[in-house]
Amino acid sequence: MDEAAQAGYRAIELGPYGYLPVDADVVSAELNKNHLSIVAGTIFHDLLDPANQKSVLDAVDDICRLITDPRLPKLPVHEGQKHPTPYMTVMDWGHDERDYNAGHSDRSPRLSPEEWTRFMGNVRAVCERANSYGVRPVIHPHAGGYIEFADEIEALVRDIPYEVAGLCLDTGHLYYSGMDPVEYLKKYADKLDYVHFKDVDETVYRAVLGKHIRFFEGCGEGSMCPIGTGALDYPAIKQALTDIGYSGYITIEQERDPRNADTSLRDVKASVDYLKSVGYEI
């Protein structure tokens, strides 16, 4: 948290369930010490297997109780922002058959219509549980999960009404999975509640796509890089967000091998500084 504050952040996500404790006393003390708030909690689980549903919903309960605790500092609501923070970012994860084919729409297996319907029932249950706490759920298409590619995002917004959940679109994941971030931010503007930013090292990304490795193994090889040093056009992304009137929050990320934490502050600070240099308010 100290490094997040040094990098210029005003808020952070909780990270995957268990990364930070769910003890409000501990978390609120650290947040206040570092002048940070929580922008979102995270569900990053296998949402396909019905056997997981109880443990997933238990995690939703723990996270929502924490992020709605009145002791935690709150972020302001900006004019035009659709829903107040904190959000619940909902991501499906944990399927080898998809993980080893991340970024490859042509060879990634798809669910049958019946499997998809059951899957959407599980996702909706997570979202409705978050809603019961007054926490806005935002579904995050994620490379290596069963909500990744253009056809799956289209089916998702068809089957999960906006009243139940919005979208968190991630520029890096869109690019990684064959979509133009500018196009898709505009396409789903009316569903967009929250945004993640990251950048992609084109050379490493192309090399990783040629290997039989998991998505995060590719990140460990450097497929994600500091913003402004990769393939994504952040001035164009800024213009797209301006064009659609986006007034919400954005979280700056760089997926990497966690053992390389000694350079994480340097790299995230570089991302923040670059985004400021091209006109983003941080």
Side-chain angles (χ1 to χ4, degrees):
M1 288 192 187
D2 176 65
E3 289 191 349
Q6 287 182 56
Y9 281 60
R10 289 184 290 148
I12 60 169
E13 292 195 1
L14 282 181
Y17 181 62
Y19 177 68
L20 292 182
V22 291
D23 183 318
D25 285 333
V26 173
V27 174
S28 62
E30 291 299 320
L31 290 170
N32 282 303
K33 184 170 72 177
N34 292 288
H35 308 288
L36 295 168
S37 300
I38 293 294
V39 66
T42 302
I43 287 295
F44 191 55
H45 291 70
D46 176 349
L47 301 180
L48 180 61
D49 186 349
N52 292 337
Q53 198 69 355
K54 182 183 184 304
S55 64
V56 171
L57 293 176
D58 287 345
V60 174
D61 289 336
D62 284 346
I63 293 166
C64 287
R65 280 193 291 263
L66 172 62
I67 63 179
T68 59
D69 190 288
R71 287 167 289 183
L72 271 62
K74 304 299 181 191
L75 286 169
V77 178
H78 297 282
E79 184 178 354
Q81 184 179 329
K82 295 177 185 174
H83 295 273
T85 63
Y87 305 123
M88 172 69 75
T89 306
V90 179
M91 293 175 279
D92 173 60
W93 183 252
H95 317 284
D96 280 353
E97 69 278 10
R98 292 291 297 238
D99 202 358
Y100 281 106
N101 291 297
H104 292 279
S105 180
D106 57 334
R107 72 184 197 206
S108 287
R110 299 302 202 274
L111 299 175
S112 70
E114 295 75 21
E115 289 169 329
W116 178 264
T117 298
R118 289 194 297 271
F119 178 44
M120 287 295 100
N122 294 344
V123 172
R124 183 165 185 152
V126 168
C127 296
E128 289 177 341
R129 182 65 65 91
N131 279 319
S132 74
Y133 288 88
V135 172
R136 176 63 171 175
V138 288
I139 301 170
H140 179 322
H142 194 288
Y146 268 110
I147 305 170
E148 177 177 359
F149 301 111
D151 58 307
E152 292 162 337
I153 299 173
E154 186 173 347
L156 169 74
V157 298
R158 178 196 68 210
D159 294 339
I160 304 290
Y162 183 67
E163 309 85 70
V164 173
L167 281 179
C168 170
L169 292 181
D170 182 307
T171 55
H173 285 273
L174 289 169
Y175 186 89
Y176 197 100
S177 303
M179 290 165 276
D180 175 5
V182 168
E183 176 187 344
Y184 275 78
L185 289 168
K186 290 182 174 181
K187 180 174 182 176
Y188 291 110
D190 60 335
K191 312 289 187 186
L192 187 66
D193 290 343
Y194 180 40
V195 177
H196 284 178
F197 274 5
K198 57 176 68 77
D199 212 340
V200 178
D201 183 309
E202 187 73 16
T203 301
V204 178
Y205 163 61
R206 293 295 169 189
V208 162
L209 287 184
K211 300 180 180 181
H212 183 67
I213 59 176
R214 301 174 189 271
F215 172 71
F216 281 111
E217 292 170 343
C219 294
E221 294 194 9
S223 58
M224 301 296 176
C225 58
I227 294 173
T229 66
L232 276 69
D233 184 343
Y234 272 93
I237 290 169
K238 182 177 187 299
Q239 187 60 53
L241 292 171
T242 299
D243 290 346
I244 66 174
Y246 183 76
S247 300
Y249 284 92
I250 298 165
T251 289
I252 301 163
E253 302 180 319
Q254 184 185 339
E255 287 157 347
R256 58 196 293 143
D257 188 326
R259 292 170 293 189
N260 295 335
D262 57 320
T263 56
S264 59
L265 174 58
R266 178 200 70 192
D267 290 350
V268 172
K269 184 69 164 60
S271 294
V272 170
D273 290 347
Y274 169 76
L275 289 169
K276 286 181 176 178
S277 78
V278 295
Y280 287 88
E281 178 187 340
I282 295 175

